[in-house]
Amino acid sequence: MNIQDIKVFVCSPGRNFVTVKVITEDGTYGLGDATVNGRELAVATYLEEHVVPCLIGRDAHSIEDIWQYLYQGVYWRRGPITMAAIAAIDMALWDIKGKVSGLPVYQLLGGKCRTGVNLYAHANGENIDDTLDKVQECIDQGFKAVRLQSAIPGLSETYGVLGDKKDYFELQGNRPLPPEQEWSTAKYFKLIPELFKKARERFGNQVHFLHDVHSRLTPIESAKLGKMLEKYNLLFLEDASIAENQENYKLIRHHTTTPLALGETYNTIWDCKDLLQNQLIDYIRVAATHAGGITGVKKISDFAAVYNVRTAPHGAPDLSPICFAAHMHLNISTHNFGIQEFVGFGNEESKTIFKHGMTLENGMVLIDDAPGLGVDFDETKASEFPYKRSYLPVSRLEDGTLWHW
Ligand code: KDG
Ligand code: MG
């Protein structure tokens, strides 16, 4: 079953998505997500110029061989752009295999390990009370786990809290350049223990709490935060420090029993190999779109299982519903799955483009038995929302030093 054509679409229903459609000679097609937030056209060009010509005429069933061809077969391995391109092709090929066999992808991955996929929702507030009110809303909707983020007093903007702005397009105003945000660890440290103290006082142990540091702390500051939060019993603390140097986590781990999660920007097993085999983290957060697709994530999850590390896939809104569906098939069939981040199925515009049968029930996502990934893409609708240049913010300390965003 040879590949006849591959199309790449970039659309912007409120945010940019790069979508790949692989079409076989009998007309079967598969879909993949290749979105790298703020660098969308780099992946689209990589696909169109360097990947698509090599795949026409190849057997769409040879998923592993095509994965290796695009990974090992390229001298310039790894990196987010290459791995997102591989990811999109990989997802599309799994989608095709499922459609051809008449089975949902999770069946091809080994079948169901659980009935549904547990989620954590977001509570992002303007202050502590606002965050806690949003936790209540999440509980009312049936979520059993909630990530708490709150605006930091004294800083003009905080990660995760957009204020009256709908998204980063609005935050950038009419000037499509990276917005700049201030960071102060001292101000953050005044807020966070108070946030979780009040959260436990108000909600007791009825719900799991999580928090994303978004890599703003040094390793010793992360160790301190982990220790401060131990009594509030977090499900995990995410991206406490940047881990380009995986050794950083030895120091953090040594000081705290707060569970640690990491990996949403990782692209291959090599980015997290030391963290996993030294049991320095508890959850690995790689996303199918950024870590080589279903095939890439499966390799990482199986390796993680050996070291008792569970998966907690990235679920931000810059991953398209195709990536979310790929996660669902992985999550339901992976024994060492932990929890899935969830921020909804997209805005109203994006729902007119991406159609799927996933449903939300009592803090879980259920998937139907549609063959393949179970997502469809409306090309005509997508063309009504053309690409718009967009950037994620840049972070600086109060003295102007560039910092981790
Ligand atoms: O594109 C960047 C976002 O995906 C990221 O900031 C979201 O950290 C994030 C999360 O945990 O969802
Ligand atoms: Mg994160």
Side-chain angles (χ1 to χ4, degrees):
M1 234 197 34
N2 290 346
I3 297 171
Q4 190 172 59
D5 193 12
I6 302 178
K7 294 184 185 167
V8 181
F9 305 89
V10 187
C11 65
S12 190
R15 56 169 58 251
N16 294 318
F17 292 118
V18 183
T19 304
V20 167
K21 183 171 186 176
V22 177
I23 306 154
T24 62
E25 50 199 7
D26 72 348
T28 309
Y29 64 88
L31 298 168
D33 177 32
T35 310
V36 176
N37 199 3
R39 294 293 184 271
E40 298 85 0
L41 298 189
V43 201
T45 308
Y46 187 98
L47 279 158
E48 278 165 346
E49 286 297 315
H50 309 297
V51 172
V52 172
C54 307
L55 299 186
I56 305 302
R58 282 181 192 276
D59 180 7
H61 276 307
S62 302
I63 299 180
E64 180 68 22
D65 185 64
I66 289 180
W67 196 93
Q68 296 295 346
Y69 179 78
L70 295 174
Y71 179 78
Q72 279 201 51
V74 175
Y75 188 60
W76 314 106
R77 295 186 193 188
R78 305 164 62 188
I81 305 301
T82 301
M83 296 312 290
I86 295 178
I89 299 291
D90 182 79
M91 285 180 211
L93 297 182
W94 279 104
D95 194 16
I96 290 172
K97 202 184 274 298
K99 285 176 177 167
V100 169
S101 61
L103 292 171
V105 168
Y106 74 78
Q107 292 292 14
L108 308 178
L109 297 173
K112 280 190 183 176
C113 289
R114 52 190 59 82
T115 50
V117 169
N118 270 323
L119 308 167
Y120 70 88
H122 285 196
N124 302 319
E126 295 301 326
N127 51 50
I128 292 181
D129 287 340
D130 186 31
T131 302
L132 301 189
D133 289 346
K134 288 184 170 137
V135 172
Q136 185 61 58
E137 286 170 23
C138 295
I139 293 173
D140 294 345
Q141 288 165 44
F143 291 103
K144 314 280 187 307
V146 186
R147 187 189 91 163
L148 280 65
Q149 310 290 138
S150 180
I152 302 169
L155 296 184
S156 51
E157 282 166 12
T158 305
Y159 161 75
V161 185
L162 287 166
D164 59 348
K165 306 286 186 303
K166 172 165 106 250
D167 51 33
Y168 290 115
F169 284 119
E170 255 190 54
L171 206 67
Q172 290 163 54
N174 293 323
R175 185 175 155 271
L177 289 172
E180 303 220 349
Q181 299 184 340
E182 282 175 315
W183 177 253
S184 156
T185 298
K187 288 177 180 161
Y188 174 71
F189 269 13
K190 270 195 210 147
L191 172 86
I192 294 301
E194 193 57 19
L195 171 66
F196 283 96
K197 179 170 175 283
K198 290 201 165 151
R200 280 293 175 222
E201 280 168 6
R202 179 157 162 191
F203 300 105
N205 286 319
Q206 59 172 309
V207 70
H208 289 293
F209 291 146
L210 306 91
H211 177 67
D212 189 353
V213 183
H214 222 263
S215 308
R216 305 284 160 86
L217 300 179
T218 64
I220 196 67
E221 289 166 350
S222 301
K224 191 171 165 185
L225 180 68
K227 248 178 150 163
M228 289 194 294
L229 295 180
E230 270 167 26
K231 52 179 176 288
Y232 306 119
N233 196 22
L234 267 60
L235 184 71
F236 63 63
L237 184 64
E238 179 188 340
D239 283 343
S241 265
I242 208 90
E244 281 161 313
N245 178 1
Q246 298 181 38
E247 293 250 310
N248 283 350
Y249 271 69
K250 279 193 187 154
L251 188 145
I252 306 171
R253 192 62 151 181
H254 186 74
H255 286 285
T256 180
T257 55
T258 292
L260 303 169
L262 195 81
E264 66 183 41
T265 61
Y266 290 174
N267 312 125
T268 70
I269 202 161
W270 301 106
D271 299 325
C272 46
K273 176 181 144 295
D274 296 355
L275 290 166
L276 296 174
Q277 70 187 13
N278 293 312
Q279 297 183 297
L280 300 180
I281 54 172
D282 302 280
Y283 292 88
I284 180 73
R285 290 190 25 81
V286 284
T289 297
H290 301 133
I294 290 173
T295 301
V297 170
K298 188 137 180 53
K299 289 178 197 296
I300 295 172
S301 317
D302 289 343
F303 184 70
V306 177
Y307 302 102
N308 304 306
V309 176
R310 293 197 275 171
T311 61
H314 190 200
D318 45 283
L319 297 157
S320 93
I322 301 169
C323 175
F324 195 79
H327 286 172
M328 288 310 110
H329 290 275
L330 280 161
N331 295 341
I332 210 141
S333 61
T334 299
H335 182 253
N336 59 319
F337 163 72
I339 196 158
Q340 170 68 53
E341 180 181 19
F342 181 71
V343 291
F345 291 120
N347 64 15
E348 291 313 309
E349 288 94 337
S350 107
K351 283 180 189 157
T352 64
I353 299 173
F354 300 96
K355 306 275 186 193
H356 58 82
M358 294 180 281
T359 49
L360 178 63
E361 222 175 87
N362 217 9
M364 279 188 164
V365 165
L366 308 180
I367 49 178
D368 61 9
D369 275 343
L373 290 174
V375 184
D376 214 347
F377 176 74
D378 187 328
E379 295 174 35
T380 316
K381 263 279 164 216
S383 68
E384 292 172 19
F385 301 93
Y387 165 76
K388 273 166 71 181
R389 180 147 49 94
S390 154
Y391 291 98
L392 282 166
V394 163
S395 187
R396 289 187 189 275
L397 301 182
E398 288 166 295
D399 70 357
T401 308
L402 196 90
W403 200 242
H404 315 285
W405 180 72

